[in-house]
Amino acid sequence: MRKKIVAGNWKMNKTLQEGVALATELKDILAAEKPNCEVIIGTPFIHLATLSNLLKDSVIAVSAENCANKASGAYTGEVSAAMVKSTGAEYVILGHSERREYYHETPEILKEKVDLALENGLKVIFCIGESLEQREKGEQEAVCKAELEGSVFHLTPEQWKNIVIAYEPIWAIGTGKTATAEQAEEIHAFIRKCVADVYGAEMAEDTSILYGGSCKASNAPELFSKPDIDGGLIGGASLKAPDFKGIIDAWK
Ligand code: PGA
């Protein structure tokens, strides 16, 4: 059975002290009331070591939001997959549209990052999704398929077990405009079919596909009720413990 997951993506928010306070609050809330899904928080690099330690006996796993496309060496300012792993983090988010757009991460660069993350024992939350213009032209399926082919469909079946897909329509990220549950389900089912074409039906059934883009406590129950939506990747609503908990509760 595939995992149900609610993952936070803090993006470039929270100082170290603020991050510790938020993670502590979440840890306490989820210790008092066990979640019905896997809970992950994706944080800036500076939080990883402290939060991995703070959360080590909790139900919350820690994820980086990026890693370098080089293994080590003279790449000033970069953080390698091995370094991320050494903090105790279990996951890394790769392929987010903000990194593709603002930091010019191409499919080739993302492929290198995915390979290094897996080689170093990290699990990858790999993001795909179309822009508004692409959606208006009806290109969403072609875009998602191309993004999978460009960076993750070269993986072996064994490696694929460590991949979680996040479908995040760019027009829904941080805009308050969510895809309807029907729109999201339609493309999630298509993504699962693409996975089945490469890895077979059984592995596709076991792949978790998350929805991201203005997901909140009020719309999560409807989104998560769809057969091919296995949880969410949450930006804005992961920055306050009660909001994030509200989404986790959608699995109750
Ligand atoms: P949002 O961001 O929930 O703030 O729309 C989602 C994401 O970018 O992962």
Side-chain angles (χ1 to χ4, degrees):
M1 258 307 273
R2 58 185 179 257
K3 277 190 203 164
K4 310 293 182 199
I5 298 173
V6 172
N9 175 11
W10 289 2
K11 308 193 179 184
M12 197 175 74
N13 293 294
K14 307 284 177 192
T15 62
L16 180 57
Q17 291 74 20
E18 290 165 351
V20 167
L22 174 55
T24 306
E25 198 183 346
L26 267 174
K27 179 186 167 186
D28 292 345
I29 293 177
L30 296 180
E33 201 186 327
K34 287 263 173 289
N36 270 349
C37 61
E38 180 166 350
V39 177
I40 304 167
I41 51 176
T43 77
F45 292 128
I46 62 133
H47 298 81
L48 294 177
T50 309
L51 295 198
S52 294
N53 193 36
L54 177 76
L55 299 172
K56 79 172 167 285
D57 297 319
S58 79
V59 295
I60 307 169
V62 177
S63 174
E65 300 173 11
N66 184 25
C67 70
N69 66 326
K70 305 285 186 217
S72 66
Y75 301 101
T76 303
E78 287 295 289
V79 175
S80 72
M83 292 171 184
V84 169
K85 179 69 182 179
S86 75
T87 66
E90 283 177 54
Y91 285 88
V92 59
I93 299 168
L94 293 173
H96 194 282
S97 57
E98 287 152 16
R99 298 226 46 100
R100 292 179 193 261
E101 185 180 346
Y102 308 142
Y103 301 98
H104 315 293
E105 294 192 358
T106 62
E108 294 71 32
I109 291 173
L110 290 169
K111 187 176 178 183
E112 294 168 346
K113 292 188 178 200
V114 166
D115 287 344
L116 284 163
L118 295 175
E119 269 169 41
N120 284 283
L122 293 167
K123 290 179 253 186
V124 173
I125 301 173
F126 189 75
C127 306
I128 58 176
E130 79 287 354
S131 66
L132 183 58
E133 199 189 338
Q134 290 165 329
R135 159 98 20 194
E136 282 169 349
K137 288 195 211 144
E139 294 172 356
Q140 61 272 20
E141 293 190 350
V143 169
C144 288
K145 190 169 181 215
E147 288 181 339
L148 293 167
E149 286 171 346
S151 309
V152 289
F153 274 173
H154 66 288
L155 297 171
T156 65
E158 204 45 42
Q159 288 178 310
W160 184 263
K161 291 180 186 159
N162 293 308
I163 300 287
V164 171
I165 300 295
Y167 167 65
E168 300 206 308
I170 299 169
W171 47 272
I173 296 177
T175 57
K177 207 170 150 184
T178 328
T180 63
E182 287 69 29
Q183 276 174 326
E185 168 57 22
E186 192 179 21
I187 191 121
H188 278 235
F190 170 77
I191 293 164
R192 198 176 305 285
K193 188 186 162 294
C194 294
V195 176
D197 289 344
V198 178
Y199 295 102
E202 199 176 318
M203 290 207 66
E205 270 306 305
D206 287 344
T207 302
S208 298
I209 306 176
L210 314 183
Y211 169 80
S214 299
C215 184
K216 40 188 186 283
S218 57
N219 56 30
E222 200 192 344
L223 285 159
F224 297 178
S225 72
K226 296 293 178 192
D228 288 295
I229 303 182
D230 306 312
L233 180 57
I234 319 299
S238 71
L239 296 173
K240 288 198 184 118
D243 294 351
F244 195 52
K245 170 69 164 46
I247 297 171
I248 294 166
D249 285 346
W251 284 122
K252 291 249 144 112

